[in-house]
Structures are given as C-alpha cells and as structure tokens.
Amino acid sequence: MARQSLIRKLLRRLTGFLAGCVLFVLLVILLFRFVNPPTSAFVLAYLVTDTNPELQQKWVALSDISPWMPLAVVASEDQRFPEHYGVDFAAIRQAVSEHKRGQGLRGASTITQQTAKNLFLWNGRSFVRKALEAGLAIAIDALWPKRRILEVYLNIAEFGRGVYGVEAASRRYFGIPASQLSPAQAARLAAVLPNPKVLSAAQPSAYVWGRIEWIRGQMEQLSGLQYLRGLDD
C-alpha cells in the first residue's frame, strides 16, 4: 500500500510538472503573438556551434516585406497554408502513400511547423522532434493569425550561413531592403529554404535555377498576390 501511494504521488507530481511545462510553452507562444522573439533556437545553435559566427539578422514587419516574398515561400513550401490548422494531414497522407508506392519519402512540413522548429527546437529527423514540432505548430496556428506566422517565419528562416531573416538575406544577396524584392528575387530566396546550408542564393546551381522557375510558375498558378490577401490580420 505504501508503495502504491508513493507511485500515485510521483505520478501526480509528474502530471503537474508536465501540465506546468505545457502551460508555460503556451504562454510563451501567446507572448510571441505580440512581442517579436529576441532570438530562435536555430540562431542560438549557430552561435554555439560555428567556429567563427557572423550573424546577420534584422527584424522587419510583414508590411515592410515585399508581398512577393510571402507568396514565394507559400508557393514553394506550403500551398495549403491558408487552409490548414498548422499541420497539413492531407499532405502527410499523400507523402506516406507515395512512399508506399516506392517513391522517395518527401517532407510534408508546413510553414507553421517550420516556424515552430526554427523558433523552439533543433534540427534532425527524430520522431520525438517531429511530434513536438506538430504539437507546437497546432498551438501556434490556434494562437497566432496567419499573417503573424508568415511574419515570424520570414524573420527567423535561414537563408545561408549566418544569414537569418529575409531583410538580411535581401541586403546580403541583392543589396536592397526586403520591401523592394521583385517576384524573381523572392523566388530565388525561397528556392534555397529547403537546405540553405547546401543551396546558394548567391551562386545558384542548375538545380536552384530549376526550383526558381518552378516557384515562379506556382506563384502565377496561385493567382499571384490575390492568393494571400484574404489572410486574417
């Protein structure tokens, strides 16, 4: 009886601790709806692991980013962004189905999931990280407007070694502020997001140029700038 009582007490404490952790994370997410994150997990990892870190990052409001840029990343990374609730279960089912048919296993992460990963988590392919990423993405989608998700994502996404956020990337690769990005330049930046440590916006490979052309085509098929104008504020 004493042992069972001790186990119940430990379980209650563990449950209380986990509930406290969840509540704390939700409060942080809610805070970041209104306050710009001071940094991100990926930036901190870069500063800690790089032998000679040279961080380039400048936060800008979504209104100070060319409207072509959010369209480019949605066209490239997550075309159902306005519709899903943080996790695109339809895209996940399709990816699993393609894998079962012998095709390569492709990622199905949404922009919201990538925001959650870059902001709070670490890089990797473990099930634990993916589960945390999905949970955080659902919470972020519930607590933030879609425009805020795009704003945070575009300010913390990695575009090259030490280059975080679209403002720093735009100035680094084109010598202009993010507000002046053209459709072609926006597509060029979006093209490297899947793997900015390998893909280069400064010197695009043939593969990157192919992605740029594909993204441009997708931007047009999504009806251009009209596609994201209905997002909530």
Side-chain angles (χ1 to χ4, degrees):
M1 292 295 293
R3 182 179 180 181
Q4 291 178 351
S5 177
L6 177 61
I7 292 174
R8 284 195 296 269
K9 183 182 294 185
L10 291 175
L11 287 175
R12 283 196 300 270
R13 290 184 177 179
L14 179 60
T15 302
F17 173 76
L18 293 176
C21 290
V22 171
L23 180 60
F24 175 75
V25 170
L26 291 175
L27 289 174
V28 171
I29 292 174
L30 182 59
L31 175 67
F32 286 163
R33 171 175 177 166
F34 306 101
V35 178
N36 296 334
T39 187
S40 71
F42 272 38
V43 168
L44 292 176
Y46 165 71
L47 293 175
V48 169
T49 60
D50 196 278
T51 55
N52 186 28
E54 297 180 4
L55 179 63
Q56 299 176 59
Q57 185 180 33
K58 181 181 179 182
W59 191 282
V60 289
L62 189 63
S63 58
D64 292 325
I65 298 173
S66 165
W68 295 111
M69 192 65 220
L71 177 63
V73 296
V74 167
S76 173
E77 304 286 304
D78 184 8
Q79 295 188 12
R80 285 169 45 84
F81 175 74
E83 305 168 20
H84 62 65
Y85 297 98
V87 176
D88 190 346
F89 294 103
I92 293 173
R93 287 193 295 270
Q94 182 178 349
V96 172
S97 177
E98 291 173 355
H99 181 61
K100 288 181 177 179
R101 293 198 300 267
Q103 301 180 30
L105 183 61
R106 61 177 179 84
S109 291
T110 64
I111 286 175
T112 316
Q113 287 176 264
Q114 293 175 48
T115 302
K117 178 184 69 175
N118 290 3
L119 192 57
F120 295 112
L121 301 174
W122 62 95
N123 207 358
R125 293 182 176 274
S126 70
F127 176 78
V128 171
R129 202 225 66 193
K130 291 298 291 185
L132 290 172
E133 177 187 297
L136 288 168
I138 292 171
I140 287 172
D141 193 88
L143 295 173
W144 294 3
K146 292 286 189 178
R147 289 179 58 84
R148 178 58 172 171
I149 296 171
L150 282 173
E151 181 177 68
V152 173
Y153 176 66
L154 289 172
N155 276 285
I156 65 174
E158 182 182 2
F159 290 91
R161 178 179 174 272
V163 182
Y164 291 85
V166 66
E167 180 71 12
S170 181
R171 293 184 180 276
R172 170 74 176 270
Y173 302 124
F174 306 121
I176 58 174
S179 61
Q180 297 178 14
L181 286 169
S182 69
Q185 291 167 331
R188 184 166 163 178
L189 292 180
V192 306
L193 285 173
N195 194 349
K197 289 181 171 61
V198 175
L199 306 179
S200 172
Q203 297 178 319
S205 63
Y207 171 76
V208 172
W209 281 120
R211 277 189 53 79
I212 293 169
E213 290 305 311
W214 180 83
I215 293 169
R216 291 290 305 277
Q218 295 300 304
M219 291 166 70
E220 293 178 5
Q221 288 189 23
L222 291 176
S223 69
L225 294 179
Q226 295 294 331
Y227 188 66
L228 296 179
R229 280 183 177 161
L231 293 181
D232 47 11
D233 295 322

